[in-house]
Amino acid sequence: MKKINTAPISGMQELLPGMQAEFNRLKNEIARVFGLHGFQNIETPMIERAEILLAKAGGDTEKQIYKVVKTAETANTADQALRFDHTVPLARYVVEHTNDLVFPFKVTQVGRNFRGERAQRGRFREFYQCDVDIVGWNDLPVAYDAEILVTLAEAIRVLPLPSFVMRVSNRKILSGFLQALNLEMKATEILEIVDHAEKVPKEKTLEFLNEVVADAAKVEKLMKLMEIRGEREEAVAKLRALEIKNELFEVGVQELDQVLKIAQELSPETQIVADMLIVRGLDYYTGMVFETIVPEYREIGSVCSGGRYEDLASYYSEQKLPAVGGSIGLTRLFYILQEYNLVKQAELMPVDVCIVPISEAEIMTASKLAEKLRAEDKTTDIVLTNKKLSDKLKYASKVAKYVVVVGETEAQGRAFKLRNLASGEETEIRMED
Amino acid sequence: MKKINTAPISGMQELLPGMQAEFNRLKNEIARVFGLHGFQNIETPMIERAEILLAKAGGDTEKQIYKVVKTAETANTADQALRFDHTVPLARYVVEHTNDLVFPFKVTQVGRNFRGERAQRGRFREFYQCDVDIVGWNDLPVAYDAEILVTLAEAIRVLPLPSFVMRVSNRKILSGFLQALNLEMKATEILEIVDHAEKVPKEKTLEFLNEVVADAAKVEKLMKLMEIRGEREEAVAKLRALEIKNELFEVGVQELDQVLKIAQELSPETQIVADMLIVRGLDYYTGMVFETIVPEYREIGSVCSGGRYEDLASYYSEQKLPAVGGSIGLTRLFYILQEYNLVKQAELMPVDVCIVPISEAEIMTASKLAEKLRAEDKTTDIVLTNKKLSDKLKYASKVAKYVVVVGETEAQGRAFKLRNLASGEETEIRMED
């Protein structure tokens, strides 16, 4: 017999049933919170035309995409690929189904996406993302940016994290700032330096900026901007104190001010701060951008991020469909929660009650009892092996919280002993109850 | 601007939010029933090594498989592919995680699978399957075959179908029969004729059999076998009356008898009959096989099928891991339910309550009210556009069952009018309640 490697492909999450149950619980709770906030669930195919997926992509995305080919074809002729996020298929969906949707379209997607990244600890090639997005028709007030923040905050509360802080900026602030300083041509390099500033020592950032900007006064001003973080009023005051005469900058500051104000009204208990270090890479964002950190575990990076993107649908339609959204990367996060021992092991016993019929003659009674228990939402298993009783009880002790043995006496009397397998305590239950 | 085709790839299900909600409800209810019966949910990656997927495959499966390649590679070097069912990845999973599982392992998988079939009405290339399987260690009593039947029956009851009948056979009966008649060498052709017998006129079947078997007496006996269907006792008596002297045949009849008997005890209300026309193609089945028809809509074919497979894991392991399982093909079924107008449109309004704040000043009050409603499990949306009231109410009427307008008076008085958008009826609610 040829021995085949049975491990899952590296970069794929594969859980044992107990952990899977906990993963599912978190995923379902997050989806429930999204639903409670009025977001409608949709699912798009996992396979899309490559031209759809790559309309806007470039850089890493294009390298990481999985192409899909039927056996007879070759990769070169392949025009289909696996989706790498929920946002691009959403843009296609909204353009395709425009006439059947109500705008602003509040939408949620919870599913798997695929990226052929290099395999690394805690990096996944197949991963769940839990997304909320709001798509407007022609315009979309910034109040909806705030709603995305507070809906995601409510969803993050589902997770066993000690605390979290949402850090918000607005791309217009940095863009307007660079316009005012006549540094637009170098925006890509500068955005990258700002994006990485937290991962390198301050002197390094200074060095990089001096290299790119080559103007000490401008670099000083940039460093001053990058240091602005904190509560809304304080941050906005500091931004205004920079005295930047630029319309885009001013709009960015106003939007930031409004988003933080409305978010506070919608959810006073959530910690949402301004932070000029938030850039969100070179993605499609055009306005608000945000990340979420866990102060106790800063090293894990952002657990939830997103922003405003005004132009994504413009690749498929001439209709203006401004949007704002965000996402929780649940697979990576669940991996981290396990690493930090934050997943509760106690909840992992899969079955509530295991019924053990002594012989085949008691199967019918066992089945009737199971029906009653299931009607009360108790997950119930019946042991159907023809092994000896001790083996049946051993099985029960491995899968269930409670066990009921059904013999001739119990079947006739219609009364059963429900034994708690942890404490050994017994309770009598009757078929009629 | 280059115009891009925004339709989903053909053969992919893509639903509008209302239909998606109903699809999700059915899927979640089926998964809940599986859980109540003690089946543990697992998820395997959608991408597997091709050698895993093709260890047992052949014929159509190999032609329909989607290979997956990273952009830089070519199809020829591809060793990864999308799973085409849940059963093959399950066999790999069980072999890989043997030491961490409890046997018999009762497992459920609900997710998407992929087949690059030719596009056809009602045929999907990406489709949900809802599977239950029970995997034994060395042996697995046929009582578990019965449990698969009754668990799936309970799940089918979730669907808006008028009625259903499960048709059960056992591959050992036909195999033993062919052994006894010295027709083993022609088993493949004969199985195929039996499998298709319902789709062609009786004379055609007779013609095909005469061609392959070329022995009138044997063909007559085969036709007699193929006509056996009905309640357990009657069918078993007819099978015995054929007077086939063959051990495999005898074992098959005994197993069929026992499976039907236990299934009846576990679920007296389910219509489960013997039917010798059930073969389940040339798949990996070795014992019980079953299909499920809806008598009112026979033309839709089987809505749920499966069987016993003793040898699947043998491609990856020398440990004997006999298994039995079955599956509901939900995507195809949901498509059919829509075609027959069996999906209830009434349940498709996505949001329970839509709150309309008159101006920005009332957002905080609206948010507090939303919080209370969500705590009572009401999905609640807040309109945040700065349009005029009539536009806000128009939006509300399209997404919600109830609307609440929050103006200055309501915010101060903390009392609100909840209006039913269908009946126009109004109820007063107070923040405190």
Side-chain angles (χ1 to χ4, degrees):
Chain A
M1 194 191 69
K2 191 182 147 207
K3 174 74 183 146
I4 291 181
N5 177 7
T6 55
I9 291 171
S10 81
M12 306 284 167
Q13 171 180 265
E14 183 161 278
L15 302 169
L16 289 169
M19 274 296 174
Q20 183 74 57
E22 185 61 9
F23 181 87
N24 293 351
R25 190 183 69 79
L26 296 178
K27 174 160 68 75
N28 295 340
E29 271 299 297
I30 289 170
R32 201 179 76 87
V33 168
F34 291 166
L36 281 177
H37 283 250
F39 288 82
Q40 302 176 45
N41 179 253
I42 64 160
E43 288 191 342
T44 65
M46 289 181 176
I47 306 177
E48 290 274 2
R49 281 186 202 86
E51 65 168 351
I52 291 282
L53 295 179
L54 297 173
K56 163 70 183 157
D60 280 353
T61 309
E62 187 143 4
K63 274 181 252 153
Q64 291 170 357
I65 209 167
Y66 276 114
K67 293 238 177 171
V68 160
V69 281
K70 281 196 267 169
T71 317
E73 301 161 24
T74 70
N76 294 336
T77 65
D79 64 344
Q80 300 184 358
L82 296 180
R83 67 182 188 199
F84 56 85
D85 73 6
H86 282 134
T87 316
V88 175
L90 172 63
R92 180 191 59 67
Y93 181 99
V94 170
V95 172
E96 177 69 13
H97 302 290
T98 292
N99 296 334
D100 296 305
L101 301 177
V102 180
F103 293 91
F105 181 40
K106 295 177 64 176
V107 59
T108 161
Q109 297 175 84
V110 175
R112 299 195 224 192
N113 290 310
F114 304 86
R115 287 185 196 200
E117 292 197 84
R118 205 143 23 107
Q120 245 179 302
R121 246 177 91 79
R123 283 272 180 175
F124 291 91
R125 289 173 172 171
E126 178 184 85
F127 48 92
Y128 270 93
Q129 282 187 294
C130 310
D131 284 44
V132 276
D133 291 272
I134 306 174
V135 184
W137 184 261
N138 286 324
D139 72 324
L140 185 69
V142 291
Y144 284 103
D145 297 23
E147 197 189 5
I148 287 291
L149 294 177
V150 303
T151 302
L152 286 167
E154 216 51 65
I156 295 169
R157 288 205 174 85
V158 164
L159 301 166
L161 291 169
S163 76
F164 65 94
V165 179
M166 301 185 107
R167 305 162 73 196
V168 183
S169 184
N170 191 304
R171 289 285 279 261
K172 289 172 188 167
I173 296 175
L174 192 54
S175 295
F177 184 91
L178 295 181
Q179 274 178 13
L181 266 63
N182 232 332
L183 289 169
E184 287 166 277
M185 304 295 291
K186 294 173 175 168
T188 307
E189 291 107 303
I190 296 171
L191 252 65
E192 207 158 334
I193 295 170
V194 178
D195 198 25
H196 284 85
E198 275 184 301
K199 290 171 198 136
V200 299
K202 196 176 163 182
E203 308 82 63
K204 268 276 170 229
T205 302
L206 207 57
E207 194 187 311
F208 292 150
L209 282 178
N210 275 321
E211 220 165 275
V212 172
V213 176
D215 178 324
K218 288 182 181 177
V219 168
E220 201 195 318
K221 214 153 192 185
L222 247 169
M223 291 296 284
K224 230 173 164 179
L225 174 75
M226 287 163 64
E227 275 158 18
I228 296 176
R229 64 181 55 86
E231 299 298 320
R232 175 176 67 94
E233 275 138 326
E234 182 198 337
V236 168
K238 280 184 183 165
L239 284 166
R240 297 235 154 91
L242 293 175
E243 298 196 341
I244 302 296
K245 299 278 167 281
N246 176 282
E247 210 189 307
L248 193 61
F249 180 87
E250 185 47 39
V251 171
V253 174
Q254 271 172 28
E255 285 185 7
L256 179 70
D257 189 31
Q258 243 196 308
V259 168
L260 294 180
K261 183 168 167 286
I262 297 173
Q264 209 64 46
E265 286 174 359
L266 288 171
S267 178
E269 69 281 18
T270 304
Q271 242 195 300
I272 308 184
V273 298
D275 194 326
M276 290 307 111
L277 287 183
I278 302 305
V279 174
R280 298 294 309 140
L282 301 172
D283 256 325
Y284 32 64
Y285 298 112
T286 53
M288 175 189 76
V289 281
F290 70 95
E291 295 188 353
T292 310
I293 52 155
V294 180
E296 292 83 351
Y297 310 108
R298 277 194 91 95
E299 66 279 13
I300 68 180
S302 179
V303 299
C304 169
S305 44
R308 160 80 66 146
Y309 49 103
E310 301 274 324
D311 305 322
L312 194 59
S314 69
Y315 291 88
Y316 321 121
S317 165
E318 280 169 29
Q319 173 59 45
K320 199 166 152 41
L321 296 162
V324 57
S327 178
I328 299 174
L330 190 59
T331 301
R332 181 174 156 270
L333 198 49
F334 192 74
Y335 174 85
I336 292 165
L337 292 174
Q338 289 178 81
E339 290 277 293
Y340 284 82
N341 284 318
L342 293 173
V343 178
K344 271 174 271 160
Q345 293 282 340
E347 290 176 24
L348 299 185
M349 193 61 96
V351 177
D352 292 325
V353 185
C354 186
I355 304 180
V356 178
I358 299 268
S359 78
E360 233 179 68
E362 287 86 29
I363 287 182
M364 212 196 278
T365 307
S367 169
K368 276 190 196 132
L369 182 60
E371 203 184 313
K372 302 253 176 187
L373 289 164
R374 286 167 189 152
E376 287 175 28
D377 254 354
K378 303 286 175 235
T379 59
T380 306
D381 192 8
I382 305 174
V383 181
L384 295 172
T385 51
N386 27 33
K387 297 205 172 136
K388 50 184 200 282
L389 184 60
S390 62
D391 283 328
K392 292 179 180 175
L393 289 172
K394 201 171 145 195
Y395 168 85
S397 71
K398 284 182 188 166
V399 299
K401 300 184 191 88
Y402 294 89
V403 68
V404 180
V405 176
V406 180
E408 221 181 307
T409 330
E410 287 88 353
Q412 280 171 4
R414 299 169 71 78
F416 311 90
K417 286 202 179 90
L418 186 73
R419 192 197 308 156
N420 182 323
L421 282 161
S423 68
E425 218 173 290
E426 288 191 344
T427 326
E428 196 178 85
I429 52 170
R430 301 192 56 82
M431 187 71 93
E432 285 66 33
D433 309 337
Chain B
M1 196 192 68
K2 190 183 147 207
K3 173 75 183 142
I4 292 182
N5 177 5
T6 55
I9 290 171
S10 81
M12 305 284 166
Q13 171 180 267
E14 183 161 277
L15 302 170
L16 289 169
M19 274 295 174
Q20 184 73 56
E22 185 61 8
F23 182 87
N24 294 351
R25 189 183 70 79
L26 297 177
K27 175 160 67 76
N28 295 341
E29 270 299 295
I30 290 171
R32 200 180 75 89
V33 168
F34 292 166
L36 280 177
H37 283 250
F39 288 81
Q40 302 175 44
N41 179 253
I42 64 159
E43 288 191 342
T44 64
M46 289 182 175
I47 306 177
E48 289 275 2
R49 281 185 201 88
E51 65 168 350
I52 291 282
L53 296 179
L54 297 173
K56 163 69 183 155
D60 280 354
T61 309
E62 185 143 6
K63 273 180 252 151
Q64 291 170 356
I65 209 168
Y66 276 114
K67 293 239 177 171
V68 161
V69 281
K70 282 194 267 169
T71 317
E73 300 161 24
T74 71
N76 294 336
T77 65
D79 64 344
Q80 300 185 357
L82 296 180
R83 65 182 189 201
F84 55 86
D85 74 5
H86 282 134
T87 317
V88 175
L90 173 62
R92 180 192 59 68
Y93 181 98
V94 171
V95 173
E96 176 69 13
H97 302 290
T98 292
N99 296 333
D100 296 306
L101 302 176
V102 180
F103 292 92
F105 180 42
K106 295 176 64 175
V107 59
T108 161
Q109 297 174 84
V110 174
R112 299 195 223 192
N113 290 309
F114 305 86
R115 288 185 196 200
E117 291 197 85
R118 206 147 19 109
Q120 244 179 302
R121 246 177 90 77
R123 283 274 180 172
F124 292 90
R125 289 173 171 171
E126 177 184 84
F127 48 94
Y128 270 93
Q129 282 187 295
C130 310
D131 284 43
V132 276
D133 291 272
I134 306 174
V135 184
W137 184 261
N138 287 324
D139 72 325
L140 185 69
V142 291
Y144 285 103
D145 296 22
E147 197 190 5
I148 287 291
L149 294 177
V150 304
T151 302
L152 285 168
E154 217 51 66
I156 295 169
R157 289 205 173 86
V158 164
L159 302 166
L161 292 168
S163 75
F164 65 94
V165 180
M166 301 185 107
R167 305 163 73 197
V168 183
S169 184
N170 191 303
R171 289 283 280 262
K172 289 173 187 164
I173 295 176
L174 191 55
S175 295
F177 184 91
L178 295 181
Q179 274 178 12
L181 265 64
N182 232 332
L183 288 169
E184 287 165 278
M185 304 294 290
K186 293 170 175 171
T188 307
E189 293 107 304
I190 296 171
L191 252 66
E192 208 157 332
I193 295 169
V194 178
D195 197 24
H196 284 84
E198 276 184 299
K199 290 170 197 137
V200 299
K202 197 177 162 181
E203 307 83 64
K204 268 276 171 232
T205 303
L206 207 55
E207 193 187 312
F208 292 150
L209 281 178
N210 275 320
E211 221 167 275
V212 171
V213 176
D215 178 326
K218 288 181 181 177
V219 168
E220 201 195 317
K221 213 150 193 186
L222 247 169
M223 291 296 283
K224 230 174 164 177
L225 174 75
M226 286 164 64
E227 276 159 16
I228 297 175
R229 65 181 56 86
E231 299 298 321
R232 176 176 67 94
E233 275 137 325
E234 182 198 339
V236 168
K238 282 184 183 164
L239 284 166
R240 295 235 155 93
L242 293 174
E243 296 196 344
I244 301 297
K245 298 280 169 281
N246 176 283
E247 212 190 306
L248 193 60
F249 180 87
E250 186 46 40
V251 172
V253 174
Q254 272 173 28
E255 286 185 6
L256 179 70
D257 190 31
Q258 243 196 308
V259 168
L260 295 179
K261 184 169 167 283
I262 298 173
Q264 209 64 44
E265 286 174 359
L266 288 172
S267 178
E269 69 281 16
T270 305
Q271 242 194 300
I272 308 184
V273 299
D275 194 326
M276 289 308 111
L277 286 183
I278 303 304
V279 174
R280 298 294 309 140
L282 301 172
D283 257 325
Y284 31 64
Y285 298 113
T286 53
M288 175 189 78
V289 281
F290 71 95
E291 295 188 353
T292 309
I293 52 155
V294 179
E296 292 82 352
Y297 310 108
R298 277 194 92 94
E299 65 280 13
I300 67 179
S302 180
V303 299
C304 168
S305 43
R308 160 79 66 146
Y309 50 103
E310 300 274 323
D311 305 321
L312 194 60
S314 69
Y315 290 88
Y316 321 119
S317 165
E318 281 169 27
Q319 173 60 44
K320 199 166 152 37
L321 297 162
V324 57
S327 177
I328 300 174
L330 191 59
T331 301
R332 180 173 156 270
L333 199 49
F334 192 75
Y335 174 85
I336 292 165
L337 292 174
Q338 289 178 81
E339 289 279 291
Y340 284 83
N341 283 319
L342 292 173
V343 179
K344 271 173 272 159
Q345 293 282 342
E347 291 176 23
L348 298 186
M349 192 61 96
V351 177
D352 293 324
V353 185
C354 186
I355 305 179
V356 178
I358 300 267
S359 77
E360 232 178 69
E362 287 86 28
I363 287 183
M364 214 196 277
T365 307
S367 169
K368 276 190 195 131
L369 182 61
E371 203 184 313
K372 303 253 175 191
L373 289 164
R374 288 168 188 152
E376 286 175 29
D377 253 355
K378 304 285 175 236
T379 59
T380 306
D381 192 8
I382 306 174
V383 181
L384 295 172
T385 51
N386 26 32
K387 298 205 171 134
K388 50 185 200 284
L389 184 60
S390 63
D391 284 329
K392 291 180 181 176
L393 289 173
K394 200 171 145 195
Y395 168 85
S397 72
K398 284 182 189 168
V399 299
K401 300 185 191 86
Y402 295 88
V403 67
V404 180
V405 176
V406 180
E408 221 180 309
T409 330
E410 286 87 354
Q412 278 169 5
R414 299 171 69 80
F416 312 90
K417 283 201 180 92
L418 186 73
R419 192 199 306 156
N420 183 324
L421 282 161
S423 68
E425 217 173 291
E426 287 190 346
T427 326
E428 195 178 86
I429 53 170
R430 301 192 56 82
M431 187 70 94
E432 283 66 34
D433 308 338

